[in-house]
């Protein structure tokens, strides 16, 4: 019994790096519009995550705030 070699794990953002390097000349107008919609969705998802993290940070700061600050 032989073990299959595991494929190397891609780092954070690797998929985005690959997408940024794609040749856009190969895409149709419809494909590009779909791509833009997907990217806009991803931007919204990132902004929502930033807001959640900022809220968590503000809550932690408020909890550990020393009196008189």
């Amino acid at each position: 019994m032989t073990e299959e070699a595991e494929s190397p794990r891609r780092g954070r953002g690797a998929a985005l790096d690959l997408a940024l390097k794609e040749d856009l000349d190969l895409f149709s107008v419809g494909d590009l519009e779909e791509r833009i919609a997907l990217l806009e969705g991803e931007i919204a998802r990132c902004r929502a995550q930033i807001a959640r993290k900022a809220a968590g940070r503000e809550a932690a700061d408020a909890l550990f705030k020393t009196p008189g600050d």
Side-chain angles (χ1 to χ4, degrees):
M1 195 183 300
T2 62
E3 292 184 31
E4 291 184 32
E6 290 185 31
S7 60
R9 188 171 179 199
R10 291 191 302 185
R12 265 186 288 180
L16 180 59
D17 287 339
L18 289 173
L20 294 174
K21 294 175 185 173
E22 284 184 305
D23 184 1
L24 297 180
D25 287 336
L26 303 175
F27 289 86
S28 69
V29 171
D31 290 339
L32 291 169
E33 289 171 342
E34 181 180 348
R35 183 183 180 104
I36 289 169
L38 290 169
L39 290 169
E40 287 172 340
E42 182 62 10
I43 290 167
R45 190 172 78 99
C46 289
R47 287 190 173 140
Q49 184 65 25
I50 289 168
R52 282 191 293 276
K53 287 179 178 266
R57 176 60 187 244
E58 290 171 10
D61 288 346
L63 180 64
F64 294 108
K65 184 177 180 181
T66 58
D69 274 348

